[in-house]
Amino acid sequence: MARRHKPREKTENSMKLREILKDIDISACTADMDMEISGISYDSRHTRPGDLFVAVKGLTVDGHRFIPVALEKGAAAVLCQDVPEEGTAWVQTPDCRYGLAICSRNFFGDPAASMKLIGFTGTSGKTSSTILLKHLLEDELGAKVGLIGTNGNMIGDELIHTEYTTPESYELQKLFCAMKKAGCTHVVMEVSSHSLALERVAGLSFDVAVFTNLSQDHLDLHGTMEEYAAAKKKLFSQCAAACINLDDKWADFMARGLKCPVTSYSAERNDADIIAKDIRLSANGVRFAAVHGGEIALVRLNIPGMFSVHNALGVIAAASCLGISLDKCADALATAKGVKGRMEPVPTDGDYSIIIDYSHKPDALENVLKTLRPLTRGKLIAVFGCGGDRDRLKRPIMGAIAAENADYVIVTSDNPRTEKPMDIINEIIPGLKSRHTPYKVISDRPQAIAWAIDKAGPGDVILLAGKGHEDYQVIGHQRVHMDEREIVAEYLKKRSTVG
């Protein structure tokens, strides 16, 4: 039997258990609802005396196994799905993931409720869109804006490292609390399908939610595209206003049955609320006329690619829901800069180009290759791989996309994690073999990049796809430093010295 601890006395940062458990479905309970709780933990390694320990059932590890450890460390009570041993102060609830989110929200005083919260969900475009909207809100409203996403979390101009696109619910609420204390009036965040399926954003009320698009990804978690789409759609049950990209085939599914107002946007259809007309694409960016009701504004965005048109439309739609005029949206987007790891050019030593892009999903890889094709005077060379311990079904699909849209393909490693790089590559190759595009396998990524540079001729474009903003390679369970910008610079310096 685990050792019992006396309830902690009230401290400045403590809260009664009943206050923390507000809005949670309680099945049974042995804990004193008036006991003081000084913190929340869901990882026994971080449990401190006076905590409420939440026994989350993870994808691979069940937190109930660590209840004795948490109690030994002084946990005052346990929130659980399965009743623990006799003598423990416990509260039973049907879903501890949901319980963790609501407890965390209550413990930090629901800080997000005092700020405008805007969420973007979809397979691609979330990072660029959130950064663009952050810039727009700061430029046009003078607002202090928090940002939560793949490239890192930001409180105004302060960058905070993150492990996940959407943090676990406790860390998320803690971050909201820090943003509120720092004076943020708005928070723009990426909302991943993982965070929706795993209840990380449960209990949040979004002022605006935006759907960008949906293509195959994360089927290792969701199983089917239908389940993936259903996870995304959960966001729109938590928002006051929805913005939907009508050009995506899942748009009708996302909009169906929503109880909130819906603003649609499109670059292809005339029946949307916000429409892009007279679209012009160039190596320097995109230009189009945005039409919203009786308003028309010329939009300039210095980020090339048709996907930039859709990103800009989604941002305009979100801003319009916040009461920002079309003209002000256009003014702000004209001064927006590119996003690190998204169509990012890297200096070279000759008449060829190197582009780094985060495209690690089928539609993203296809989009960036099609964007680069008209900008390529010579050969388009794609260097890419697929992540380990992730959706295996997309591997041959990405191989076929690379072969169909590039002139030469180099298959390499990209965050192999616990898989062997060649095992991953061997699942990509069937897609390559379905086309007649020449390809080469070089599992060592720095060597693959060097080989591509040596192969490049006048007018060629090398796409380094998959890593984007990441400056590491995940091998096993370890992050090993690997920045493609540094790899290119060091190899060009070495080549120059040898030459």
Side-chain angles (χ1 to χ4, degrees):
M1 182 180 296
R3 187 176 61 193
R4 300 181 66 178
H5 290 259
K6 294 180 181 179
R8 283 173 61 92
E9 295 181 359
K10 184 175 177 60
T11 65
E12 183 180 353
N13 296 320
S14 66
M15 180 180 290
K16 290 187 182 298
L17 181 60
R18 70 171 66 255
E19 296 171 331
I20 291 178
L21 295 176
K22 181 184 176 183
D23 298 327
I24 290 178
D25 183 11
I26 298 175
S27 306
C29 176
T30 64
D32 177 4
M33 285 295 183
D34 289 320
M35 73 165 61
E36 295 292 337
I37 300 294
S38 58
I40 297 173
S41 61
Y42 59 94
D43 184 335
S44 62
R45 293 171 295 183
H46 302 145
T47 299
R48 295 180 296 181
D51 277 2
L52 170 66
F53 177 73
V54 184
V56 174
K57 290 191 175 185
L59 297 176
T60 58
V61 178
D62 186 350
H64 289 75
R65 289 172 45 196
F66 301 97
I67 289 175
V69 178
L71 292 171
E72 283 297 323
K73 289 192 171 184
V78 172
L79 184 65
C80 56
Q81 290 172 223
D82 302 331
V83 175
E85 66 179 55
E86 186 180 353
T88 301
W90 51 263
V91 179
Q92 187 182 30
T93 190
D95 185 350
C96 278
R97 283 195 174 278
Y98 180 82
L100 176 63
I102 303 304
C103 285
S104 300
R105 182 198 67 182
N106 295 341
F107 184 74
F108 287 106
D110 196 7
S114 65
M115 302 176 283
K116 292 288 185 181
L117 183 60
I118 306 99
F120 285 77
T121 197
T123 305
S124 302
K126 299 187 297 297
T127 300
S128 296
S129 296
T130 52
I131 292 173
L132 287 174
L133 184 57
K134 181 178 187 291
H135 168 77
L136 189 157
L137 295 171
E138 291 170 339
D139 194 63
E140 293 303 321
L141 300 183
K144 186 166 187 177
V145 182
L147 182 141
I148 300 171
T150 305
N151 278 22
N153 303 325
M154 298 186 74
I155 301 178
D157 295 328
E158 180 188 0
L159 180 63
I160 303 168
H161 175 71
T162 182
E163 294 289 336
Y164 302 104
T165 298
T166 311
E168 185 54 82
S169 56
Y170 176 82
E171 282 75 23
L172 182 62
Q173 292 293 341
K174 185 177 181 180
L175 183 58
F176 285 142
C177 188
M179 289 176 173
K180 178 182 177 181
K181 289 180 179 179
C184 289
T185 56
H186 296 70
V187 179
V188 184
M189 65 180 291
E190 299 179 45
V191 186
S192 67
S193 61
H194 280 68
S195 71
L196 288 157
L198 302 179
E199 302 288 9
R200 292 176 188 165
V201 294
L204 292 177
S205 296
F206 290 81
D207 292 274
V208 185
V210 183
F211 169 68
T212 61
N213 51 61
L214 197 75
S215 61
Q216 183 169 327
D217 196 30
H218 302 308
L219 297 193
D220 53 316
L221 173 66
H222 302 292
T224 67
M225 285 297 295
E226 288 72 22
E227 289 298 319
Y228 181 31
K232 293 287 189 186
K233 188 169 181 174
K234 285 181 66 176
L235 177 63
F236 300 99
S237 65
Q238 299 176 226
C239 67
C243 302
I244 305 289
N245 174 15
L246 284 193
D247 296 337
D248 190 85
K249 66 181 182 180
W250 290 91
D252 289 342
F253 173 84
M254 292 295 168
R256 190 180 306 130
L258 297 189
K259 297 180 181 179
C260 63
V262 176
T263 300
S264 59
Y265 62 93
S266 173
E268 301 172 7
R269 295 166 53 168
N270 292 321
D271 58 340
D273 297 306
I274 301 174
I275 305 168
K277 294 283 191 180
D278 301 324
I279 299 170
R280 300 183 183 184
L281 309 177
S282 74
N284 297 318
V286 298
R287 306 286 186 274
F288 63 91
V291 182
H292 186 199
E295 291 184 273
I296 301 177
L298 177 62
V299 176
R300 305 180 186 87
L301 184 59
N302 298 319
I303 306 172
M306 188 63 197
F307 55 84
S308 290
V309 177
H310 283 104
N311 290 346
L313 287 171
V315 167
I316 291 170
S320 73
C321 292
L322 297 172
I324 301 173
S325 70
L326 194 58
D327 283 338
K328 287 187 175 182
C329 290
D331 289 343
L333 291 173
T335 61
K337 298 179 181 179
V339 180
K340 183 180 180 181
R342 266 66 174 181
M343 288 288 288
E344 178 186 351
V346 178
T348 68
D349 61 353
D351 183 22
Y352 65 97
S353 302
I354 299 177
I355 301 294
I356 292 176
D357 192 83
Y358 190 50
S359 43
H360 61 291
K361 305 166 187 175
D363 74 313
L365 182 61
E366 183 175 15
N367 285 338
V368 73
L369 286 170
K370 286 184 174 179
T371 296
L372 291 173
R373 172 55 69 190
L375 311 179
T376 304
R377 292 182 290 109
K379 299 186 299 297
L380 179 54
I381 303 169
V383 181
F384 87 103
C386 290
D389 302 334
R390 297 294 185 269
D391 183 8
R392 294 173 59 185
L393 296 177
K394 73 179 183 182
R395 294 171 184 176
I397 296 172
M398 291 185 67
I401 287 172
E404 185 173 341
N405 294 281
D407 298 305
Y408 200 97
V409 178
I410 303 170
V411 191
T412 187
S413 185
D414 182 349
N415 292 339
R417 299 184 177 88
T418 64
E419 291 191 65
K420 294 179 180 178
M422 281 307 304
D423 289 346
I424 299 171
I425 290 171
N426 286 334
E427 293 188 348
I428 296 172
I429 289 175
L432 291 164
K433 288 184 174 179
S434 67
R435 306 295 189 272
H436 299 291
T437 304
Y439 69 90
K440 187 175 183 65
V441 172
I442 305 176
S443 63
D444 182 272
R445 196 171 182 102
Q447 290 181 18
I449 293 171
W451 197 91
I453 292 172
D454 287 339
K455 187 177 179 63
D460 289 355
V461 174
I462 300 171
L463 170 65
L464 306 182
K467 301 302 295 178
H469 62 283
E470 294 179 351
D471 58 1
Y472 57 84
Q473 185 85 299
V474 183
I475 301 173
H477 297 288
Q478 302 296 318
R479 288 191 177 192
V480 180
H481 180 76
M482 192 196 74
D483 189 323
E484 292 185 321
R485 299 152 196 81
E486 295 174 3
I487 290 171
V488 171
E490 290 169 3
Y491 183 71
L492 292 179
K493 181 179 179 180
K494 176 182 176 182
R495 190 168 76 162
S496 173
T497 303
V498 173

